[in-house]
Amino acid sequence: MRIGNVFGSRIPPLSSDIIVLMELSEGLKTLEFIKPGGTVILNRKRIYPIDMMAHPEKYPKDEEIISLFKEANAKIIWIDAGKIASEAGLPIAENIVLLGALSFISSFDKESVINMLRKHIPRELDKNIAAFCAGYETAEGMDK
């Protein structure tokens, strides 16, 4: 998502202030976009591509991913969105947990985002709001 006075959907290299990753290895594809000093919100989830299922040891190690983002001068926020979503009572709400973390990092108004959830997510609303708040609070705790 690009916010502000932008034209086109392509993100120029070294221009992204924040990158949110649902899956760890996807982060390696975003390295060229993160601005020095930018923030990467990494979900700890691992989804092994078919060619790696037989050789999961080939999947990038956490240390390798951390090292690459540190070389890019990025701040890393690790979030186990699956665990947090499960604790909120809605295991499929990993995206909402990450939205909560993004909202804190981006200084989005928390109540405005919760109102947006109320308007657009009619099912399991209480659990989605709990997942959002847990993600927000997790990022808030890591930022100190």
Side-chain angles (χ1 to χ4, degrees), residues 7-117:
F7 302 96
S9 59
R10 175 91 169 102
I11 300 171
L14 302 174
S15 68
S16 185
D17 294 303
I18 302 171
I19 294 177
V20 180
L21 300 164
M22 291 288 295
E23 194 274 334
L24 285 173
S25 70
E26 288 297 313
L28 302 177
K29 298 176 184 176
T30 67
L31 278 167
E32 70 176 289
F33 301 112
I34 191 71
K35 181 187 290 186
T39 300
V40 179
I41 301 171
L42 281 169
N43 186 7
R44 289 194 174 273
K45 185 175 199 160
R46 293 175 183 271
I47 299 174
Y48 295 98
I50 290 174
D51 59 334
M52 283 192 187
M53 285 184 173
H55 302 284
E57 69 278 0
K58 292 183 178 181
Y59 191 93
K61 306 279 184 268
D62 290 357
E63 300 78 32
E64 295 169 318
I65 295 169
I66 290 169
S67 175
L68 290 168
F69 279 110
K70 282 188 177 181
E71 286 176 28
N73 195 24
K75 177 181 177 183
I76 301 169
I77 295 181
W78 287 91
I79 294 185
D80 190 341
K83 179 181 177 196
I84 294 169
S86 292
E87 289 170 356
L90 193 60
I92 64 169
E94 289 181 49
N95 58 334
I96 302 298
V97 171
L98 295 172
L99 175 63
L102 172 64
S103 295
F104 174 77
I105 299 301
S106 300
S107 301
F108 293 162
D109 180 69
K110 185 177 180 181
E111 289 306 313
S112 293
V113 178
I114 289 172
N115 287 333
M116 181 270 311
L117 292 174

